[in-house]
Amino acid sequence: MAPRVLGSPCADQLLVNTLLASGLIVGSISSLNYAWLLMLLPQGIVAQAVATAAFPTFAALRRGRYGELRHTVSSTLRGISS
């Protein structure tokens, strides 16, 4: 939940950017929207795929097998970051 709470001001900033872009030339809001979608593309491809595969494993390991859970989370994060 913490990443969601910390990321919510970014969504609010999008509203401000849209209001500012509405005063510019035609197509500015569309360009802003396409840039936003392009920025979210890596998250949609990588993060959601990893989450879909890893979260059931995390849930199964959460029941008392904390050592294995730490190792699995660590190896998953290392795989994402490399």
Side-chain angles (χ1 to χ4, degrees), residues 12-22 32:
D12 295 338
Q13 189 66 25
L14 185 62
L15 177 65
V16 172
N17 288 341
T18 304
L19 290 174
L20 290 173
S22 66
L32 182 66

Side-chain angles (χ1 to χ4, degrees), residues 45-64:
I45 292 173
V46 176
Q48 288 180 350
V50 170
T52 301
F55 282 164
T57 305
F58 296 161
L61 291 175
R62 198 240 172 244
R63 297 188 185 117

Side-chain angles (χ1 to χ4, degrees), residues 13-82:
Q13 189 66 25
L14 185 62
L15 177 65
V16 172
N17 288 341
T18 304
L19 290 174
L20 290 173
S22 66
L24 299 174
I25 62 172
V26 175
S28 297
I29 295 176
S30 296
S31 298
L32 182 66
N33 187 38
Y34 290 137
W36 178 256
L37 293 175
L38 187 63
M39 186 185 79
L40 291 179
L41 184 66
Q43 176 188 357
I45 292 173
V46 176
Q48 288 180 350
V50 170
T52 301
F55 282 164
T57 305
F58 296 161
L61 291 175
R62 198 240 172 244
R63 297 188 185 117
R65 296 168 26 192
Y66 296 113
E68 290 180 58
L69 178 62
R70 269 189 240 115
H71 179 340
T72 305
V73 169
S74 174
S75 64
T76 302
L77 291 175
R78 274 187 270 129
I80 292 171
S81 65
S82 62

